Amino acid sequence: DIQMTQSPSSLSASLGDRVTVTCRASQTISTFLNWYQQKPGRAPQLLIYAASSLHGGVPSRFSGSASGTEFTLTIRNLQPEDFATYYCQQSYSAPYTFGQGTKLEIK
Amino acid sequence: QLQLQESGPRLVKPSGTLSLTCTVSGDSITNSAYYWGWIRQPPGKALEWIGTVYHSGSTSYRSSLRSRITISVDTARNQFSLKLTYVTGADTAVYYCARQSSGHLDASDLWGHGTVVTVSS
């Protein structure tokens, strides 16, 4: 199985800040890397697919990048609605493993 | 309106069978652009992918569940289902059904609201 190592597990930031979350795959997954946002009591929502493609309706302050087996989610100009938990997931091959999540909290 | 809705018993006894159904509204489950899957989230923990059924009818399952899990499609009812046998407390979780889109490199672009399933006597 492909392991996805996500860091940090938690992050504190202020409104207007820029934050980054990293996900590392245990083997090559090309660009089959997705990012999801989950708010308490809600289903996850797709933010970014194919490492860097923004899903429809997602604000442009969200972006994704890839370098080999390391993937990064960047959020610029943090807004109140961005404080949530973020998960990466590889869809390169089954089992389609998730990272352990990053909880983004208000400082 | 395109949506997914989970249904099924919320309480299952230990060693029993967990059975959930996901009803697809607003599109055909036979659309070859999509696969259909289940993801769960134990209380306070991360998301766990547990299985996917492809438009060919073939399936992929989480390694640790392979001996207990079946995912199938009912095209007549536009539904897909999850069966998990011999459940224990470790199977207590919020269960989500989701659509994987080949146009999004197999990302899950549409999710149900989720249903809480508790394993307890």
Side-chain angles (χ1 to χ4, degrees):
Chain A
D1 297 0
I2 298 173
Q3 307 302 316
M4 304 303 296
T5 304
Q6 188 174 340
S7 61
S9 57
S10 64
L11 186 54
S12 292
S14 302
L15 294 177
D17 280 358
R18 172 183 178 275
V19 298
T20 60
V21 181
T22 298
C23 197
R24 187 184 302 269
S26 61
Q27 64 187 72
T28 183
I29 58 170
S30 184
T31 56
F32 285 75
L33 191 283
N34 314 304
W35 291 99
Y36 301 88
Q37 178 193 67
Q38 187 181 32
K39 296 181 179 178
R42 305 290 295 272
Q45 291 189 303
L46 179 64
L47 291 176
I48 289 171
Y49 64 96
S52 60
S53 297
L54 222 56
H55 187 47
V58 174
S60 59
R61 62 180 181 273
F62 291 90
S63 63
S65 63
S67 177
T69 59
E70 186 167 296
F71 301 86
T72 301
L73 169 69
T74 300
I75 313 172
R76 293 177 172 78
N77 187 23
L78 274 173
Q79 298 299 300
E81 60 268 29
D82 300 338
F83 293 92
T85 300
Y86 294 85
Y87 292 95
C88 64
Q89 181 208 28
Q90 64 83 15
S91 51
Y92 181 74
S93 68
Y96 302 114
T97 39
F98 287 91
Q100 288 305 297
T102 296
K103 186 173 184 179
L104 176 56
E105 299 174 306
I106 299 177
K107 188 183 289 185
Chain B
Q1 183 181 357
L2 188 57
Q3 63 179 7
L4 305 180
Q5 179 66 58
E6 303 92 347
S7 60
R10 304 291 183 93
L11 182 63
V12 183
K13 287 184 167 42
S15 77
T17 297
L18 181 158
S19 296
L20 295 174
T21 296
C22 183
T23 300
V24 179
S25 304
D27 196 2
S28 172
I29 202 168
T30 60
N31 187 328
S32 61
Y34 305 121
Y35 322 135
W36 308 95
W38 293 92
I39 296 103
R40 71 181 183 182
Q41 187 169 35
K45 294 189 177 180
L47 300 168
E48 296 180 353
W49 173 86
I50 57 176
T52 293
V53 58
Y54 303 96
H55 51 75
S56 63
S58 63
T59 52
S60 293
Y61 298 134
R62 185 179 184 85
S63 306
S64 62
L65 299 178
R66 194 165 288 133
S67 64
R68 301 193 288 128
I69 189 173
T70 303
I71 297 176
S72 58
V73 171
D74 183 339
T75 56
R77 294 188 169 144
N78 222 40
Q79 297 174 333
F80 62 104
S81 64
L82 166 69
K83 286 193 190 311
L84 188 64
T85 59
Y86 301 104
V87 296
T88 70
D91 296 310
T92 292
V94 179
Y95 284 77
Y96 297 99
C97 60
R99 182 182 78 175
Q100 285 179 251
S101 168
S102 59
H104 291 78
L105 289 195
D106 298 346
S108 294
D109 68 335
L110 183 67
W111 295 64
H113 290 110
T115 188
V116 178
V117 178
T118 302
V119 177
S120 175
S121 55

